[in-house]
Amino acid sequence: MKKHWLPFLLAFVLPLILTYWWWGGFNKASFEIAQRGPYHYAYMTQKGDYSKLPDKQQEVLGRLRQQGVAVGTPITLLLNDARTTPKRDWVAQTGYLVDAHARVSEPLAIGDVPARLALVVKVKAQLLLAPGKAYSALMDYLDEHHMQFRQPTVELYQNGVLTVEMNL
């Protein structure tokens, strides 16, 4: 009977564990309180399911390139708490950091996040895993420190690291 487990482990379980490790699934979140911003960004609004944000962000990238606007780091502002707001009412702004003097045309818009003190959570993981790990760690941190969750949160993803910022 033991002989049958070894091929199963090697063929199915080990590759899953290695993939999860490769994607950063075992990485821990780090926290700091820091001055963040200001950010100037071009974006489009996504209403409904947050899982559609990557597609919307790619649309923004294409439109910025068509308009000849240089792009920086990807940025997303989540405006609703997914735990308490019905999915159909979720709203986010997703796009890219742009130069302070950049101008865009519709359907793109320009937004600003002022400099502020923020709780910063960082997770090095593949983009499919990073948000779940970051927000789970953030909620645990807030519970431990008797703090309230505040929206909007600002997400920046660069060099395989997701940074989530929550205003203090």
Side-chain angles (χ1 to χ4, degrees):
M1 189 118 147
K2 290 183 182 180
K3 291 180 183 177
H4 296 290
W5 281 102
L6 186 58
F8 176 77
L9 287 174
L10 292 175
F12 297 105
V13 176
L14 185 59
L16 289 174
I17 291 171
L18 289 174
T19 301
Y20 188 71
W21 168 78
W22 181 262
W23 284 3
F26 295 111
N27 293 345
K28 300 279 186 217
S30 65
F31 298 89
E32 68 176 330
I33 294 176
Q35 276 297 125
R36 300 296 292 202
Y39 302 125
H40 188 72
Y41 62 101
Y43 71 94
M44 289 177 69
T45 299
Q46 166 65 37
K47 295 181 180 178
D49 194 347
Y50 287 158
S51 70
K52 296 179 182 175
L53 284 168
D55 293 335
K56 183 66 77 172
Q57 198 163 59
Q58 285 302 308
E59 183 180 349
V60 172
L61 180 60
R63 290 179 183 276
L64 287 169
R65 287 182 175 158
Q66 286 174 345
Q67 295 179 26
V69 178
V71 299
T73 303
I75 184 170
T76 299
L77 278 74
L78 299 183
L79 305 177
N80 302 101
D81 186 343
R83 299 168 306 155
T84 59
T85 305
K87 189 181 287 190
R88 68 181 177 278
D89 297 332
W90 294 354
V91 179
Q93 297 173 347
T94 191
Y96 290 84
L97 298 180
V98 294
D99 183 73
H101 303 294
R103 299 291 172 247
V104 298
S105 59
E106 290 186 356
L108 298 175
I110 292 288
D112 290 291
V113 176
R116 75 258 184 258
L117 189 63
L119 173 59
V120 180
V121 183
K122 292 185 180 185
V123 175
K124 184 173 179 65
Q126 211 280 338
L127 191 54
L128 292 174
L129 293 178
K133 292 187 71 58
Y135 281 97
S136 177
L138 175 60
M139 293 306 157
D140 290 345
Y141 182 95
L142 294 174
D143 286 345
E144 288 174 22
H145 293 85
H146 307 289
M147 298 169 69
Q148 291 289 333
F149 181 61
R150 295 189 180 133
Q151 299 275 179
T153 53
V154 176
E155 298 179 1
L156 301 159
Y157 190 73
Q158 186 173 26
N159 300 325
V161 176
L162 175 67
T163 302
V164 176
E165 302 172 5
M166 184 191 82
N167 294 354
L168 289 179

